[in-house]
């Protein structure tokens, strides 16, 4: 959550019931300074990807300054789990021991081992232009990417300027990747999140107020 007028960044925790969300707490810390995405462990602790060291810093983006960090919250306190990134984005966890992280400006998807609050043994498993959020589909990862950054910026200012949407499917074990969805932007611009439910792929955009559904073979 970003309360820009109050200069407060936080993580909001809710308990999910059948038909409602019950607020638990608002987590704040000096290491939660530009949160972009979160992922949780089964014990309730979380990882937070901070996209930039200085929130909304244009210079960090343009010059791809690697000052951003991933923060681990142990339920009471925060510490740095991994660092030296530029615009970290999607983050997800598998089996409470393997972490996947995407960087929009570094155009990469990494895999880490998680041990005692630290993300270690970093390795690149995919190269995705403008990598955004990460979701699982079985053993694969679905990662949308922004192919043309300048078009993305133009679309952010004016929705009539299309920005291509591409969703990549990455197999972490083989490090192979393929395209699961592509659109030049007329159907959906700046696709941000993709997931599979039933026999359909769903893709949502950052700015477009709609969701695209594609039937899988």
């Amino acid at each position: 959550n970003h309360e820009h007028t109050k200069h407060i960044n936080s993580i909001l925790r809710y308990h999910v019931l059948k038909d409602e969300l019950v607020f638990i707490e608002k987590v704040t810390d000096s290491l939660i300074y530009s949160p972009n995405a979160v992922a949780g462990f089964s014990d309730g602790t979380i990882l937070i990807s901070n996209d930039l060291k200085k929130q909304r810093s244009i210079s960090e983006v343009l010059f791809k300054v690697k000052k951003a960090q991933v923060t681990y919250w142990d339920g009471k306190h925060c510490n740095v789990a991994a660092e030296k990134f530029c615009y970290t984005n999607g983050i997800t966890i598998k089996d409470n021991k393997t972490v996947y992280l995407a960087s929009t400006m570094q155009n990469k998807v990494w895999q880490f081992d998680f041990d005692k609050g630290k993300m270690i043994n970093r390795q690149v498993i995919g190269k995705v232009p403008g990598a955004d959020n990460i979701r699982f589909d079985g053993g694969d990862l679905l990662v949308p990417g922004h192919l043309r950054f300048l078009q993305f910026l133009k679309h952010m200012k004016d929705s009539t300027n299309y920005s291509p949407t591409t969703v990549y499917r990455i197999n972490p074990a083989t490090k192979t990747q393929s395209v699961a969805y592509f659109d030049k932007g007329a159907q959906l611009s700046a696709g941000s999140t993709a997931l599979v439910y039933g026999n359909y792929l769903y893709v949502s955009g950052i700015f477009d107020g709609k969701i695209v559904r594609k039937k899988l073979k």
Side-chain angles (χ1 to χ4, degrees):
N1 186 43
H2 311 290
E3 297 175 79
H4 294 307
T5 58
K6 298 180 180 180
H7 304 288
I8 297 174
N9 290 288
S10 62
I11 305 300
L12 305 180
R13 301 182 69 231
Y14 291 85
H15 185 57
V16 182
L17 301 179
K18 183 179 179 180
D19 56 359
E20 65 178 325
L21 297 175
V22 178
F23 178 75
I24 300 174
E25 63 181 322
K26 179 166 76 171
V27 180
T28 59
D29 190 275
S30 61
L31 289 176
I32 304 175
Y33 48 83
S34 187
N36 191 324
V38 297
F41 293 94
S42 61
D43 62 1
T45 61
I46 57 177
L47 286 171
I48 305 128
S49 69
N50 291 291
D51 47 30
L52 299 168
K53 188 65 176 179
K54 183 179 181 181
Q55 193 171 35
R56 298 191 285 183
S57 171
I58 299 300
S59 61
E60 281 189 56
V61 173
L62 292 178
F63 296 104
K64 299 183 180 180
V65 180
K66 299 175 185 177
K67 289 185 177 180
Q69 302 165 321
V70 176
T71 296
Y72 173 64
W73 180 71
D74 65 7
K76 294 182 179 180
H77 308 287
C78 287
N79 66 260
V80 177
E83 56 187 350
K84 296 183 179 180
F85 302 105
C86 178
Y87 217 96
T88 55
N89 207 317
I91 188 167
T92 192
I93 303 165
K94 183 177 182 181
D95 300 330
N96 288 311
K97 61 182 180 180
T98 306
V99 179
Y100 298 97
L101 175 70
S103 166
T104 302
M105 297 311 297
Q106 292 175 263
N107 304 319
K108 293 178 181 178
V109 178
W110 294 280
Q111 176 180 292
F112 302 80
D113 295 324
F114 186 81
D115 183 52
K116 298 177 181 178
K118 299 294 182 180
M119 292 160 56
I120 59 175
N121 302 327
R122 180 189 310 194
Q123 60 173 307
V124 176
I125 61 166
K127 295 183 178 181
V128 175
D132 208 309
N133 286 303
I134 303 175
R135 294 292 184 272
F136 280 110
D137 179 31
D140 293 342
L141 301 175
L142 295 174
V143 186
H146 308 292
L147 293 179
R148 297 177 177 85
F149 187 62
L150 290 179
Q151 286 184 242
F152 174 84
L153 294 178
K154 289 179 181 179
H155 176 70
M156 182 171 63
K157 294 180 179 179
D158 183 354
S159 62
T160 61
N161 293 319
Y162 294 150
S163 177
T165 292
T166 307
V167 176
Y168 293 89
R169 177 181 293 275
I170 300 174
N171 186 296
T174 62
K175 298 181 182 179
T176 56
Q177 66 185 60
S178 58
V179 174
Y181 173 84
F182 173 77
D183 183 71
K184 291 182 178 180
Q187 186 177 51
L188 180 70
S189 282
S192 174
T193 305
L195 60 85
V196 170
Y197 182 75
N199 196 36
Y200 291 91
L201 171 71
Y202 295 86
V203 187
S204 64
I206 301 176
F207 310 108
D208 284 1
K210 58 185 175 183
I211 295 174
V212 169
R213 184 177 72 168
K214 176 186 176 183
K215 188 171 184 179
L216 301 174
K217 295 180 180 180

